[in-house]
């Protein structure tokens, strides 16, 4: 089910002077051979955000290819589900080792396809190692049968089992091409599912590299299938799988949820956010400013959990703003495949246009640029300076809409209550951040914020990196969770097995099944059972 080798290739610098051989042609061909597509199918040429140079002509799948991929995955899943859990977990541990050992290769791929800085790319490598290790060691506990109290003490034994749903569909975006492909696939796979993965065409090579590592780690052929294409291919995935995980915009998430609802399959959705941060008056200003820079400008702001609204207590507003602006202006922008740059490029011309539009619209409505606001064409076609805005009014698009770029708006508040009210004045609820010297105060404020995750004295890394805790959004930010037990449970179906003991005669004696109760007759058995219910209430039985 591979593509036509002649139709998908690394762009040759001899025919296109902008192209590059940073990637070895044979290696790229090997990756592209993993796409499920048909001979003679169409391709999508990807371009490096750093330079605009073409990278590869990626083969595109058709809806019929998705159907074939799902059929193959379903066939392979039956044997994979019968594989002992310890062996499935061992695959994850080998993935952990392989990703760390070959990180330089995937860091190059992520940067070339996405445009982010190398340190932001490394966050994805570390994240995969954490996820792989966590589920390798915790899957047995998460998936273990659960004993619950039965109807009749001693006589009724009840276990709740978890079975893989079958084939899990993952529709992944371009902003975290390793984390949101391999990171979502690992818990599904260790639970015994097969996976049909649809990465964004722009970052398909990274996803295909992940598929290669899974195979090298011992995942049987066919258990993971990769299809590539636009929204129509994502829709085709939903039409064939047994559960879908989608990460993307709220608008598209509604479409995914509706389509999944028509088929009555579960859907996990991580959608948009307009994430807030509160800086209290008791902070160490320099520490908070450093954390704010990372929270706002990591991954060039193209992060669902990125901070875009910042509420600063008026007592430290001037001092904090000075420190925050100074640190933002000091960030180094650059395209290098090394750690010399602090912030990389936006990924696409569409994202750049949105960032520019939001900033210009805010300025039209009276906002002020405190830092940035400049499209840095001297560095590359899609570079935009880290931007801090003041006095952004409610009429501006950047006040409520997600920018998804390196732009943050600053506001002054006079109290914790005012900050919490402002933070909750949104239809989104994905991530939030609170900064204060008092961890008790921080925890109390966090509990009042309407977000799925609240980080105290950190922007997003602490919550996201604590893989044992669920990550998900409220309101328009999504449904369901990744990470924690929920991250693997969402790819399983529960089954209750209720076993009634003593029903049949033993050694010639009468059985003690429920039939003995019902044989008393309706009036008598209901009287007896009422007495039993009262006794259990007295004994405080659950």
């Amino acid at each position: 089910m591979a593509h036509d080798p002649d139709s998908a290739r690394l762009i040759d610098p001899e025919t296109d002077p902008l192209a590059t051989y940073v990637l070895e042609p044979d290696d790229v061909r090997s990756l592209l051979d993993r796409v499920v597509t048909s001979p003679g199918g169409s391709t999508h040429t990807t371009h490096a955000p750093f330079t605009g140079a073409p990278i590869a002509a990626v083969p595109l799948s058709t809806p019929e290819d998705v159907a074939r991929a799902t059929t193959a995955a379903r066939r392979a899943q039956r044997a994979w589900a019968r594989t002992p859990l310890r062996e499935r977990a061992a695959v994850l541990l080998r993935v952990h080792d392989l990703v760390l050992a070959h990180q330089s290769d995937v860091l190059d791929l992520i940067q070339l396809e996405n445009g982010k800085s190398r340190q932001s790319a490394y966050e994805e490598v570390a994240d995969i190692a954490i996820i792989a290790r966590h589920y390798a060691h915790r899957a047995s506990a998460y998936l273990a049968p659960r004993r619950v109290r039965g109807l009749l003490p001693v006589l009724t034994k009840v276990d709740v089992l978890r079975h893989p749903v079958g084939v899990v569909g993952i529709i992944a975006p371009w902003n975290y091409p390793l984390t949101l492909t391999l990171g979502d696939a690992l818990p599904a796979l260790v639970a015994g599912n097969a996976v049909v993965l649809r990465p964004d065409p722009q970052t398909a090579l990274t996803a295909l590299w992940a598929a290669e590592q899974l195979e090298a780690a011992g995942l049987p052929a066919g258990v993971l299938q990769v299809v590539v294409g636009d929204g129509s291919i994502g829709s085709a995935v939903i039409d064939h799988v047994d559960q879908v995980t989608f990460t993307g915009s709220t608008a598209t998430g509604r479409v995914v949820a509706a389509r999944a609802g028509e088929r009555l399959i579960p859907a996990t959705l991580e959608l948009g956010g307009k994430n807030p941060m509160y800086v209290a008056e008791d902070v160490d200003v320099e520490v908070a400013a450093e954390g704010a820079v990372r929270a706002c400008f990591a991954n060039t702001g193209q992060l669902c959990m990125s901070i875009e609204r910042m509420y600063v207590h008026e007592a430290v507003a001037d001092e904090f703003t000075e420190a925050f602006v100074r640190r933002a202006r000091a960030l180094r922008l650059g395209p290098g495949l090394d750690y010399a740059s602090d912030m990389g490029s936006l990924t696409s011309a569409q994202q750049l246009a949105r960032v520019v539009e939001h900033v210009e619209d805010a300025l039209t409505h009276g906002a002020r640029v405190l830092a940035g606001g400049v499209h840095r064409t001297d560095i590359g076609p899609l570079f935009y300076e880290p931007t801090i805005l003041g006095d952004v009014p409610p009429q501006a698009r950047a006040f409520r809409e997600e920018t998804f770029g390196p732009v943050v708006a600053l506001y002054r508040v006079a109290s914790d209550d005012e900050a919490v009210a402002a933070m909750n004045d949104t239809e989104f609820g994905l991530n939030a951040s609170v900064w204060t010297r008092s961890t008790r105060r921080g925890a109390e404020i966090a509990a009042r914020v309407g977000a799925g995750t609240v980080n105290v004295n950190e922007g997003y890394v602490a919550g996201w990196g604590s893989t044992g805790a669920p990550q998900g959004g409220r309101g328009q930010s999504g449904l369901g969770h990744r990470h924690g037990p929920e991250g693997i449970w969402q790819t399983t179906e529960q089954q209750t097995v209720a076993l009634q003991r003593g029903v049949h005669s033993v050694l010639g004696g009468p059985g003690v099944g429920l039939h003995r109760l019902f044989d008393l007759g309706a009036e008598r058995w209901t009287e007896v059972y009422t007495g039993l219910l009262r006794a259990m209430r007295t004994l405080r039985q659950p």
Side-chain angles (χ1 to χ4, degrees):
M1 292 191 295
H3 67 284
D4 180 351
D6 293 331
S7 68
R9 64 197 186 283
L10 190 69
I11 304 299
D12 190 339
E14 292 183 2
T15 60
D16 190 326
L18 290 176
T20 174
Y21 269 160
V22 171
L23 303 176
E24 292 292 334
D26 289 344
D27 292 340
V28 172
R29 290 191 188 94
S30 175
L31 293 178
L32 294 176
D33 283 340
R34 296 178 178 276
V35 180
V36 179
T37 187
S38 304
S42 60
T43 62
H44 170 81
T45 300
T46 58
H47 295 82
F50 284 157
T51 62
I55 301 173
V58 179
L60 298 178
S61 307
T62 66
E64 292 74 24
D65 295 326
V66 175
R68 291 191 297 112
T70 309
T71 298
R74 201 173 297 283
R75 188 183 308 118
Q77 187 268 337
R78 299 187 187 105
W80 176 241
R82 292 193 297 269
T83 302
L85 177 56
R86 66 179 181 278
E87 294 182 23
R88 302 199 301 261
V91 170
L92 268 63
L93 290 177
R94 289 192 287 271
V95 166
H96 169 283
D97 296 343
L98 286 168
V99 169
L100 292 182
H102 302 295
Q103 62 180 275
S104 61
D105 294 338
V106 75
L107 289 173
D108 287 350
L109 274 179
I110 293 171
Q111 285 195 274
L112 287 170
E113 290 192 303
N114 173 275
K116 65 180 67 181
S117 70
R118 202 164 189 83
Q119 60 182 320
S120 288
Y122 178 77
E123 285 189 10
E124 298 200 53
V125 168
D127 186 48
I128 292 301
I130 293 170
I131 291 171
R133 187 187 73 240
H134 177 83
Y135 283 109
H137 291 302
R138 296 295 296 161
S140 60
Y142 291 156
L143 299 173
R146 179 168 55 93
R147 178 69 51 82
V148 301
R149 184 179 294 276
L151 174 66
L152 296 175
V154 181
L155 295 179
T156 308
K157 172 180 175 288
V158 179
D159 289 314
V160 179
L161 311 180
R162 287 191 175 274
H163 301 284
V165 295
V167 179
V168 171
I170 298 174
I171 303 173
W174 45 263
N175 61 317
Y176 274 81
L178 188 65
T179 283
L180 298 179
T181 53
L182 184 55
D184 283 343
L186 292 176
L189 292 169
V190 79
N193 297 286
V195 169
V196 174
L197 170 63
R198 194 241 62 168
D200 189 280
Q202 173 62 30
T203 50
L205 293 179
T206 300
L208 293 164
W209 182 89
E212 183 179 70
Q213 304 316 301
L214 279 166
E215 182 180 292
L219 186 72
V223 177
L224 178 76
Q225 303 280 333
V226 182
V227 294
V228 179
D230 58 14
S232 65
I233 300 306
S235 295
V237 169
I238 303 169
D239 287 341
H240 293 282
V241 298
D242 305 304
Q243 189 269 349
V244 62
T245 295
F246 169 80
T247 306
S249 71
T250 297
T252 305
R254 291 192 182 99
V255 176
V256 171
R259 203 169 188 93
E262 290 175 359
R263 293 197 58 228
L264 292 179
I265 64 170
T268 301
L269 313 172
E270 185 189 288
L271 309 177
K274 191 68 176 176
N275 306 305
M277 175 184 288
Y278 172 45
V279 179
E281 80 285 355
D282 63 345
V283 298
D284 180 320
V285 166
E286 291 294 335
V287 171
E290 186 277 332
V293 165
R294 285 188 290 105
C296 298
F297 305 124
N299 210 55
T300 322
Q302 298 175 133
L303 166 62
C304 295
M305 306 183 80
S306 182
I307 298 299
E308 294 194 7
R309 299 181 289 142
M310 193 172 299
Y311 302 97
V312 185
H313 197 286
E314 60 188 9
V316 292
D318 290 340
E319 185 182 0
F320 174 84
T321 300
E322 186 279 326
F324 184 40
V325 167
R326 169 170 36 85
R327 287 177 176 273
R329 288 175 174 168
L331 291 177
R332 301 166 298 173
L333 278 64
L337 300 182
D338 54 34
Y339 290 97
S341 300
D342 300 311
M343 196 177 91
S345 166
L346 291 160
T347 302
S348 68
Q350 291 84 352
Q351 284 306 117
L352 174 64
R354 184 176 180 87
V355 168
V356 171
E357 183 179 3
H358 273 212
V359 172
E360 291 182 350
D361 176 72
L363 297 180
T364 299
H365 285 91
R368 295 179 298 120
V369 173
L370 305 179
V374 179
H375 177 197
R376 294 294 301 274
T377 55
D378 57 312
I379 303 175
L382 303 178
F383 282 85
Y384 197 87
E385 286 188 352
T387 299
I388 304 171
L389 301 176
D391 301 326
V392 177
Q395 307 94 291
R397 292 184 61 188
F399 187 85
R400 291 194 180 277
E401 295 181 23
E402 182 179 34
T403 304
F404 214 66
V407 179
V408 61
L410 260 61
Y411 308 89
R412 293 177 180 240
V413 293
S415 66
D416 295 353
D417 289 344
E418 184 181 351
V420 170
M423 295 170 84
N424 289 339
D425 182 21
T426 177
E427 63 179 357
F428 298 108
L430 186 59
N431 180 50
S433 177
V434 176
W435 289 75
T436 172
R437 286 182 187 269
S438 169
T439 53
R440 178 177 179 179
R441 178 185 179 188
E444 290 174 348
I445 294 171
R448 298 168 58 194
V449 176
T453 300
V454 183
N455 289 267
V456 178
N457 294 327
E458 177 51 46
Y460 67 93
V461 172
W464 180 270
S466 301
T467 311
Q471 294 285 318
R474 297 185 184 179
Q476 301 303 302
S477 288
L479 297 171
H481 300 82
R482 53 165 55 95
H483 292 183
E486 291 83 355
I488 194 170
W489 288 346
Q490 69 186 14
T491 69
T492 66
E493 293 178 318
Q494 294 191 79
Q495 179 187 42
T496 295
V497 178
L499 186 153
Q500 194 65 22
R501 297 186 175 100
V503 171
H504 302 285
S505 61
V506 179
L507 300 177
V512 290
L514 286 172
H515 68 282
R516 302 281 293 178
L517 182 63
F518 296 136
D519 284 347
L520 296 175
E523 186 174 350
R524 180 59 180 148
W525 88 255
T526 56
E527 180 183 348
V528 170
Y529 199 71
T530 296
L532 178 61
L533 291 174
R534 287 173 175 156
M536 293 180 72
R537 167 73 170 82
T538 300
L539 295 172
R540 303 176 66 85
Q541 295 300 303

